[in-house]
Amino acid sequence: MRIDECRRSRILKREAAVRDANRFVTTMKQLYIHTIGCQMNVYDSGQIAALLVPLGYRLTSQLASADLIVVNTCAIRAKAEQKVFSFLGRLAALKRRRKTLRIAVGGCVAQQQGAAILARQPCVDLVFGTQALQRLPRLVAAVEAGARRLTDTETAAATQIDGRFPAVARGGAPSRFVTVMRGCDNYCTYCVVPYVRGREASRPPEHILSEINAMVVDGAREVTLLGQNVNSYGLKEGWCSFAELLARVNAVEGLSRIRFTTSHPKDLSDALIAAFRDLGKVCPHLHLPVQSGADRILKKMNRRYTRDGYLRKIERIRRMVPEIALTTDIIVGFPGEGRADFEKTLDLVRTVQYDALFAFIYSDRPQAPAARFAEKISEEEKKDRLRQVLDLQEGITRRKNEALVGTTQTLLVEGTSKRKDAPGDESGLVQYHGRTPTNRIVHFPAPVDAGLQPVLVPGLLVEVRIEGAYAHSLRGRLLSIQAPLKRAKGGTCHAA
Ligand code: 5AD
Ligand code: SF4
């Protein structure tokens, strides 16, 4: 009898605690973040979410239930900018139905257009620029207190940034971005980044390392260090070189893999190339944007390297790190790009044999000098050149992928893809996906456990035999797991 009462009172207490917790969760304000653009914006969106927690906001994936919507914008090409305004159009309709909804616009378009966004889209309550991130809690508090149509696009004259970014818990996500520097001093003539992100400024290594250590405690196994030009990390401030930073990140216990982007070809040092060879956790993948294969166009782009200089660097990298995967960015249809210039770009792609590439149609950016260059290329011609680059690369990627069939690859498990079979049927398999050190995506089947949950958790390293190649991915068969199964204690265990 006494035991029953005891149990009942325990149950009642637990139910009361759950009610309290639910009340707390439902009284929290809902924050929806819409991110457009690059990995830096993805990282900044994490920062925005963390900065607004003290104001009582928690993230929601439901646009309709949000109290505050933050649109984190990108201005790199006209298309990205158009996306911002079409999304804001949707939000205007939402706000007509829910008057209490607050809308904030941040990122590069916010920096570039400031108050003009308020004029164009009256549903917006707050515009905050790329250097206003740390001031966001104060700005949102002001909006909550009734301020309307607020703009903060102030930029600091100093080139220093406060590197103590707030810690972002991401519930065990294995792969994270870490911004190590902001801004860019290169002024490529097509590019808006120096105008919207400001002068180059690096975070102190101690802040970067303590953030990475916290991420590892939160379940991260791979970090991608981000900067517009990581090769010049710390030079201005006199911290340490980027190669030295990599060595310090390499020593972080519990971390399996390090990636970074982006390197400017003109600043790629031998010390950095050696990091691929000497630091066990640095993945053999280098993204080295070439933009064009014609010296005439590289000069007009203010890239400050030549085609030959670029190719010599590629040769040196491959000599030092033969297994390295190389990727690049290419712009087609830059003003004045003639057929012969474009042929040189195609020829460079054939010569280098990249593992993958991103190709973009040149887009005028009003603040960037190339917007005022003569000899604009027609949209039709640009589209045709884009198609040619993509077709050429698709063949190269496919052949490279096919050459991997029969090899064994180590993958960092990222999660499950769509289920191959319904859980619980006789095969009991789930499709997982992971990445090779060279950044190729591999899909492979593996079992679910007795509770029909995936056996492999994100963040595990597994070995697979590659059995199939597609244009953009590979198919593999699980050979072994290099880290414990979900419920096993440790050691290497081999899958069937
Ligand atoms: N038009 C087209 N592509 C651009 N990029 C940068 N600015 C422009 C522009 N105005 C591309 C470059 C860069 C990548 C991030 O975006 O290739 O490396
Ligand atoms: Fe833009 Fe050139 Fe700076 Fe890259 S290096 S962000 S392309 S200005």
Side-chain angles (χ1 to χ4, degrees), residues 453-476:
Q453 293 304 307
V455 175
L456 305 177
V457 286
L460 281 182
L461 289 171
V462 299
E463 299 231 301
V464 295
R465 169 71 40 82
I466 302 300
E467 295 190 326
Y470 308 104
H472 302 290
S473 65
L474 297 162
R475 179 168 45 79

Side-chain angles (χ1 to χ4, degrees), residues 184-188 190-194 228-229 264 291 303:
C184 182
D185 288 350
N186 283 311
Y187 294 95
C188 301
Y190 50 80
C191 188
V192 75
V193 168
Q228 302 295 346
N229 181 18
H264 194 301
Q291 312 297 0
R303 291 291 287 175

Side-chain angles (χ1 to χ4, degrees), residues 38 75-78 189-193 228 262 287 289-291 303 328-332 358-365 368:
C38 65
I76 197 94
R77 283 170 290 275
T189 55
Y190 50 80
C191 188
V192 75
V193 168
Q228 302 295 346
T262 297
H287 185 64
V290 68
Q291 312 297 0
R303 291 291 287 175
T328 201
D329 289 346
I330 283 174
I331 296 178
V332 298
F358 299 95
F360 307 101
I361 284 182
Y362 168 77
S363 161
D364 269 344
R365 302 286 65 218

